[in-house]
Amino acid sequence: MISFVTLLAASTALASPIERQVKTAVLPLKHVSNFTSVKNLVSKGQARLNKVNGVAAIDTVSAVSSGPVTNEDVSYVAAVSIGGTTYDLIVDTGSSNTWCGAQSSCEPSSSGTSTGGTVSVSYGSGSFSGREYKDKVSFGGLTVSSQSIGAATSSSGFSGVDGIIGFGPVDLTEGTVSNANTVPTFLDNLYSQGSISQEVLGVSFRPESGSDTDDTNGELTLGGVDSSKYSGSLTYFSKLTSGDASYYWGISIASFTYGSTTLASSASGIVDTGTTLIYIPTTAYNKFLSAAGGKTDSYSGLAVFTTKPTSNFGIKFGSTTYTLTPSQYLVPTAQYSYYGLSSGKYYAWINDGGSSGVNTIIGQKFLENYYSVFDTTNSRIGFATAV
């Protein structure tokens, strides 16, 4: 879900798209909004960074944790069938366990079996604990007959959703289940049983239109990519293999820029579908505020400006810079009333990720503008301009 003074790994960019796979599945996603305040939304991402750094500081051994997807201005949610019952689960590349029961009881079906194990995962801004069982899980026309499921007996921080389907690296499940070292993810199992040709996840997120907060405007592709969702070629960058961010979908960042101003010349972070905002190192964030004429709003926790910023914000991976225009990194005025923001001001989705450890998250507000690929088979992350 859920990122600096960390060891950086060289990122290798390849400018060719993934070859079309014979076995893929495409699933729609819904964007769902369930939050008590925008300040809590900001804090949620910062709490995820705190958890990432806490996990990494302990050691790897202690690391915890195409179908439609819905967009909630907080999270993208997929309808996943577990034992024949459909649950709305957050799509999260920042964690790896799959679980349900945040809203109502999630028990094994007639096809399910208890493993006798317990499961517990903390996400920084939320957590759950309960019992592990294995059951049939179906998503986008693909089925795993014996997927590890966490049945929550207690959970916090998950209003309006039933749980999470984790698409992070399998090592994030280490130490989360009492009777297993790690448990395969849903994507791991699809690949090992031959349902998909490569262990690849393609993610299409799109911004909400107008004042809407619950559009079904996302899509997952399991086993490949959907070339209709991006223009040009995908460019790939190696997943980090060392440093705090390497336990996640970690990536080396060459620079952050605002217009012609360089905000930072190197960083490492994580690409996380389960985090709403974009978080950058404190020094880069402060330079962004200075260059754009803003400050941190005490009410919302967002970067706020009295005059609308006019320059693009850039994130450079390898030799490729991905830019966000002001209309892409500012909160749409049509959504001000929903978030409780003041008219006559301008608010940014870019925020302070902290000054140590992993302090950069490439979250939804970047991913809504760039198609992303999480390629476990080749240990790389890809981006292309979304359409």
Side-chain angles (χ1 to χ4, degrees):
M1 233 170 141
I2 29 66
S3 315
F4 184 74
V5 189
T6 55
L7 187 60
L8 302 182
S11 65
T12 302
L14 303 175
S16 59
I18 286 181
E19 295 178 3
R20 188 176 68 84
Q21 298 304 308
V22 175
K23 298 177 180 180
T24 62
V26 177
L27 316 109
L29 300 179
K30 183 181 179 184
H31 193 195
V32 181
S33 273
N34 293 295
F35 73 100
T36 53
S37 75
V38 69
K39 194 165 190 175
N40 287 346
L41 182 61
V42 172
S43 298
K44 193 171 183 178
Q46 292 168 337
R48 158 93 21 132
L49 282 168
N50 289 337
K51 182 59 184 176
V52 170
N53 287 309
V55 169
I58 294 171
D59 191 40
T60 12
V61 175
S62 307
V64 287
S65 84
S66 299
V69 181
T70 297
N71 182 348
E72 257 193 9
D73 273 325
V74 174
S75 53
Y76 281 83
V77 174
V80 179
S81 174
I82 301 176
T85 300
T86 299
Y87 297 92
D88 287 335
L89 304 183
I90 293 172
V91 174
D92 188 15
T93 60
S95 68
S96 302
N97 295 78
T98 294
W99 64 277
C100 53
Q103 303 305 315
S104 58
S105 178
C106 174
E107 300 296 334
S109 69
S110 58
S111 63
T113 57
S114 171
T115 67
T118 59
V119 57
S120 178
V121 183
S122 172
Y123 300 93
S125 60
S127 64
F128 90 94
S129 60
R131 300 179 299 274
E132 187 205 24
Y133 68 94
K134 293 185 177 181
D135 209 339
K136 182 185 294 185
V137 174
S138 298
F139 183 36
L142 298 177
T143 298
V144 172
S145 59
S146 185
Q147 174 66 45
S148 170
I149 299 295
T153 54
S154 66
S155 65
S156 62
F158 293 94
S159 62
V161 295
D162 296 311
I164 286 176
I165 180 167
F167 288 102
V170 68
D171 284 352
L172 287 177
T173 67
E174 193 169 351
T176 63
V177 178
S178 64
N179 57 358
N181 184 34
T182 60
V183 292
T185 67
F186 180 67
L187 204 63
D188 288 339
N189 283 326
L190 288 178
Y191 179 59
S192 63
Q193 71 188 25
S195 296
I196 56 177
S197 302
Q198 289 197 39
E199 192 166 353
V200 171
L201 177 71
V203 179
S204 170
F205 287 168
R206 297 299 291 141
E208 294 283 11
S209 57
S211 59
D212 290 347
T213 57
D214 60 355
D215 290 338
T216 299
N217 60 352
E219 177 192 276
L220 296 184
T221 300
L222 308 181
V225 303
D226 183 350
S227 59
S228 71
K229 297 298 182 181
Y230 62 86
S231 62
S233 298
L234 285 157
T235 302
Y236 290 95
F237 308 93
S238 296
K239 178 184 175 296
L240 291 178
T241 57
S242 61
D244 296 349
S246 65
Y247 307 124
Y248 297 78
W249 282 105
I251 191 168
S252 180
I253 300 150
S255 67
F256 297 100
T257 55
Y258 175 75
S260 60
T261 301
T262 299
L263 307 178
S265 56
S266 67
S268 61
I270 65 173
V271 185
D272 184 10
T273 61
T275 295
T276 305
L277 279 71
I278 301 164
Y279 294 88
I280 64 177
T282 297
T283 54
Y285 177 69
N286 288 337
K287 286 182 180 179
F288 168 64
L289 293 180
S290 177
K295 63 178 183 179
T296 300
D297 182 40
S298 59
Y299 169 75
S300 67
L302 295 171
V304 63
F305 310 87
T306 54
T307 301
K308 186 176 182 178
T310 57
S311 295
N312 293 343
F313 172 76
I315 304 177
K316 187 177 183 180
F317 306 114
S319 59
T320 305
T321 299
Y322 297 86
T323 60
L324 297 178
T325 65
S327 64
Q328 292 172 323
Y329 66 74
L330 294 176
V331 180
T333 55
Q335 295 177 7
Y336 277 21
S337 60
Y338 179 74
Y339 288 114
L341 301 176
S342 301
S343 60
K345 298 180 181 179
Y346 304 91
Y347 301 86
W349 293 121
I350 300 162
N351 214 269
D352 185 357
S355 58
S356 62
V358 180
N359 50 19
T360 297
I361 297 181
I362 310 300
Q364 292 170 21
K365 296 307 173 183
F366 175 88
L367 300 175
E368 287 176 356
N369 296 285
Y370 290 98
Y371 189 85
S372 55
V373 182
F374 301 85
D375 184 349
T376 299
T377 300
N378 297 296
S379 192
R380 61 184 184 174
I381 303 165
F383 299 110
T385 302
V387 296

